[in-house]
Amino acid sequence: MRDLSRQQTELFFLINAFLLRYEPLELHPLIDADVAEAAAALAGTFETASRGVIYEHRPAGLPADRLATALRPVIAEACQHAGAVNDRDIAVVLRRLEEGARAAGAAEPEQPRAYFDLIGRTLKGRHEMPETTGDADATPAPRLII
């Protein structure tokens, strides 16, 4: 997430949250290589669009192609709400997503879903509401991250 603007960071988290909820049609779950391939193809599409050329890059694998197709409306909706996000910003976010998925896969080659595990741990606390015991004045205990 280094050097990302606020809009790019929001898009990055939105795409990763979508990845956690995404359920592919086929019986096999997505792996990091599929995410990297889909992100690379979409990034290529947005990079060429930023130069004024309309050309849709397609991933070679079917699972990656389905993921890329599912990500397009998510990105379009995010751009409508975010405001000043252009094609280059989207391409930067997708390249970072590709780098992250490839790096996670390279770091743990025996675990094909290492990137999903990473974003699951990272985004876990952002989408869960703290449990309350009924006491309105109770505040969650402070957590120390070492």
Side-chain angles (χ1 to χ4, degrees):
M1 291 183 23
R2 64 190 183 277
D3 303 327
L4 293 180
S5 68
R6 184 183 62 78
Q7 290 91 357
Q8 290 171 331
T9 302
E10 289 175 7
L11 181 60
F12 184 78
F13 277 114
L14 179 72
I15 291 171
N16 281 307
F18 172 78
L19 287 175
L20 287 177
R21 294 187 314 268
Y22 179 72
E23 294 183 21
L25 297 175
E26 62 273 5
L27 298 175
H28 301 287
L30 283 177
I31 60 173
D32 298 341
D34 296 330
V35 173
E37 187 178 344
L42 285 172
T45 299
F46 284 104
E47 287 166 350
T48 56
S50 71
R51 294 183 202 109
V53 178
I54 306 299
Y55 179 77
E56 183 178 348
H57 296 261
R58 304 291 300 216
L62 186 58
D65 188 46
R66 288 181 180 158
L67 176 61
T69 302
L71 277 173
R72 282 183 199 355
V74 172
I75 293 170
E77 183 180 336
C79 291
Q80 289 177 349
H81 296 296
V85 178
N86 59 33
D87 291 340
R88 267 186 228 144
D89 291 335
I90 298 167
V92 167
V93 169
L94 290 168
R95 288 294 178 196
R96 295 287 171 84
L97 180 68
E98 176 192 7
E99 289 172 19
R102 289 195 196 284
E108 297 184 45
E110 67 281 351
Q111 179 139 10
R113 291 182 51 89
Y115 186 71
F116 286 94
D117 294 341
L118 173 67
I119 61 175
R121 288 188 311 266
T122 304
L123 297 179
K124 180 181 177 185
R126 296 189 186 276
H127 297 291
E128 294 178 353
M129 296 298 293
E131 293 183 21
T132 59
T133 58
D135 186 6
D137 295 330
T139 57
R143 295 174 23 184
L144 178 63
I145 299 174
I146 298 177

